[in-house]
Amino acid sequence: MIRKTLKAGAACMLALGAVAATQATAQADDGKPKLSYVLRPQVAQSPYTGVDIYYGGVYAGTGIWSQDPGGDIDGNGNTDPGDALIAYDGAADGLGVEARLETGRVASTRGHGSPYWSPWASGDLAEGSKHSMKVCVVKGDWESCLSAVSVTA
């Protein structure tokens, strides 16, 4: 029993270390609050890659890439179509959240109150092709984006 508890505790510590290792900050020295993020990379059997974005140290929202058609990630019974982006604005801070693919595909909460899930932005991409996804906080014509992360179709 004690051995199982120790193994579980060690696994949790490793997982926390992996999350901590993926935290980063991106910001020009312009006096505005800093952006930071936590990357939730794909794990075995998961078609999702998520990026939680923080503005000034406060959670702003999430951008998610869905590789393959899957489950009900937005909680509204809408099955995701695969090769798709979705954005979530989780903070009533006056900012929106956008998830962007280098192909021009955008999922945005811009102009909506929070909490809000954007519609899925989808379209078929070549199986196994690599793409870049950025997650941004936006308001009006202002935006601040994190560095791109790699996702696979």
Side-chain angles (χ1 to χ4, degrees):
M1 177 88 169
I2 291 173
R3 196 172 287 160
K4 283 183 182 178
T5 302
L6 290 173
K7 283 183 182 179
C12 287
M13 292 303 286
L14 286 173
L16 287 172
V19 168
T22 61
Q23 290 183 1
T25 300
Q27 179 63 37
D29 189 17
D30 61 3
K32 297 202 187 258
K34 292 184 177 183
L35 284 182
S36 61
Y37 70 95
V38 174
L39 174 63
R40 293 181 285 143
Q42 286 180 277
V43 294
Q45 308 295 317
S46 174
Y48 302 112
T49 299
V51 177
D52 294 334
I53 191 167
Y54 295 80
Y55 185 68
V58 178
Y59 175 73
T62 301
I64 298 172
W65 167 255
S66 174
Q67 178 179 8
D68 297 314
D72 175 22
I73 198 164
D74 67 0
N76 295 319
N78 302 317
T79 302
D80 72 76
D83 291 346
L85 295 168
I86 194 168
Y88 174 69
D89 183 351
D93 55 9
L95 300 172
V97 175
E98 289 186 352
R100 302 175 181 167
L101 214 55
E102 91 287 349
T103 63
R105 187 175 301 175
V106 177
S108 180
T109 69
R110 190 186 296 259
H112 294 275
S114 67
Y116 179 77
W117 285 95
S118 73
W120 284 102
S122 66
D124 196 31
L125 297 169
E127 193 66 24
S129 59
K130 301 284 185 193
H131 299 276
S132 297
M133 178 181 76
K134 281 188 175 183
V135 179
C136 309
V137 288
V138 297
K139 182 174 184 174
D141 61 357
W142 174 86
E143 64 182 43
S144 188
C145 300
L146 296 168
S147 298
V149 297
S150 180
V151 295
T152 304

